[in-house]
Amino acid sequence: SWESLLSTLWNGVVKPVLDALAFSVRDTPGDLSRIFWCPTGPFVFPPIHAAGLYGTQHSQPGHKVSDFVISSYAPTLSILALAPDPDVVPSGDLHLLAVRQPPSDGQSHLPGVETELRHMRAIVRDYSSAQTVLVESSLGTVEEVLDLMEEADWVHFACHGIQDAEKPTESGLCLADQRRLKVSDMIASSRPRGGLAFLSACQTAMGGKGLSEEAIHIAAGMLFAGYGGVVGSMWSISDKIAPDVARDVYAQLF
């Protein structure tokens, strides 16, 4: 069961690390430190960030990793040395690129995409403390998106994502004309370093069984492309839930 897996992770892996680093429970979420997990082998698959003891008997703080720290993942240690702080807003206008599911991607329709973008427009309009410019892709082709990414500070993808277990660098985000913005395209891009990439798509941070020692997935591709931080998913995400997740994340950021 999930509870058994998460408790095993907590007792055998996560809590000993937190104890060794002398982390303690904080009274308010704003006081939490950030920890970067750099898992290898079988540990690339389980949700380390959710490790803990669940159930009514463990309702008090101190039984889950989220009571102690904010968890992030790093595909390699070298990424931490290269990546700037994703929360630092540019001194001028913040350009946020939104890439929606194009009609010619060859995938099933995602009705929640319009709701998701509507939430983003409202937050940028009503709550942004910085001067934010929301740019939306029109064609949704690989070429257009790559060009717009070079100019944008942050990027948000609301579309399908596919993980290719046999050829990880062929994994990517489904765009127009049934083509993918592949991991190899991201790594080869020439955008400046920094900013945030929000991948509201399935399997963007999922590895493959045959390549468990290699941190090659879509989210990692965005980090290698120079983004300071990436929001991704380890599994498939419901189209009904994705808009709410995006809304809550951007409301917190802005």
Side-chain angles (χ1 to χ4, degrees):
S1 68
W2 277 111
E3 287 190 0
S4 175
L5 170 63
L6 296 177
S7 64
T8 300
L9 273 176
W10 174 251
N11 291 319
V13 179
V14 176
K15 190 58 166 66
V17 171
L18 298 179
D19 289 342
L21 296 175
F23 280 118
S24 59
V25 175
R26 300 298 180 92
D27 295 330
T28 59
D31 294 334
L32 295 177
S33 298
R34 182 178 299 275
I35 188 170
F36 286 87
W37 302 100
C38 187
T40 60
F43 285 105
V44 302
F45 300 107
I48 298 174
H49 61 278
L53 306 177
Y54 291 83
T56 55
Q57 69 272 33
H58 303 299
S59 59
Q60 294 299 314
H63 297 96
K64 303 173 184 64
V65 63
S66 56
D67 295 331
F68 295 82
V69 293
I70 298 172
S71 291
S72 292
Y73 293 93
T76 65
L77 293 178
S78 61
I79 284 292
L80 296 179
L82 294 173
D85 186 346
D87 298 327
V88 174
V89 176
S91 56
D93 293 346
L94 171 65
H95 286 77
L96 170 57
L97 169 63
V99 181
R100 64 165 66 232
Q101 177 191 25
S104 61
D105 66 345
Q107 304 294 320
S108 59
H109 177 57
L110 298 173
V113 168
E114 183 53 45
T115 302
E116 191 166 327
L117 294 183
R118 189 165 60 247
H119 288 329
M120 293 175 63
R121 296 186 197 107
I123 291 172
V124 168
R125 182 185 67 243
D126 299 334
Y127 300 104
S128 177
S129 58
Q131 186 62 37
T132 304
V133 179
L134 180 63
V135 180
E136 298 187 36
S137 63
S138 56
L139 301 176
T141 62
V142 171
E143 292 78 12
E144 180 202 38
V145 170
L146 283 172
D147 286 343
L148 291 173
M149 284 172 62
E150 290 187 12
E151 303 298 327
D153 301 300
W154 293 4
V155 63
H156 180 100
F157 285 90
C159 58
H160 284 281
I162 294 179
Q163 177 73 17
D164 191 324
E166 298 298 324
K167 299 179 179 178
T169 57
E170 297 293 307
S171 304
L173 300 160
C174 300
L175 297 182
D177 304 323
Q178 300 188 35
R179 294 174 61 197
R180 299 180 194 173
L181 175 62
K182 298 180 289 187
V183 170
S184 56
D185 297 325
M186 302 169 193
I187 296 174
S189 66
S190 58
R191 67 172 306 277
R193 291 201 164 271
L196 174 71
F198 191 119
L199 307 180
S200 185
C202 296
Q203 305 175 10
T204 52
M206 184 183 74
K209 291 183 179 179
L211 291 164
S212 60
E213 297 294 340
E214 300 181 30
I216 303 177
H217 44 62
I218 303 172
M222 287 292 182
L223 288 172
F224 287 120
Y227 287 95
V230 181
V231 177
S233 60
M234 299 179 74
W235 296 282
S236 296
I237 181 170
S238 168
D239 182 55
K240 295 181 180 179
I241 296 175
D244 294 338
V245 173
R247 178 198 60 204
D248 293 347
V249 169
Y250 283 111
Q252 179 69 29
L253 291 175
F254 287 115

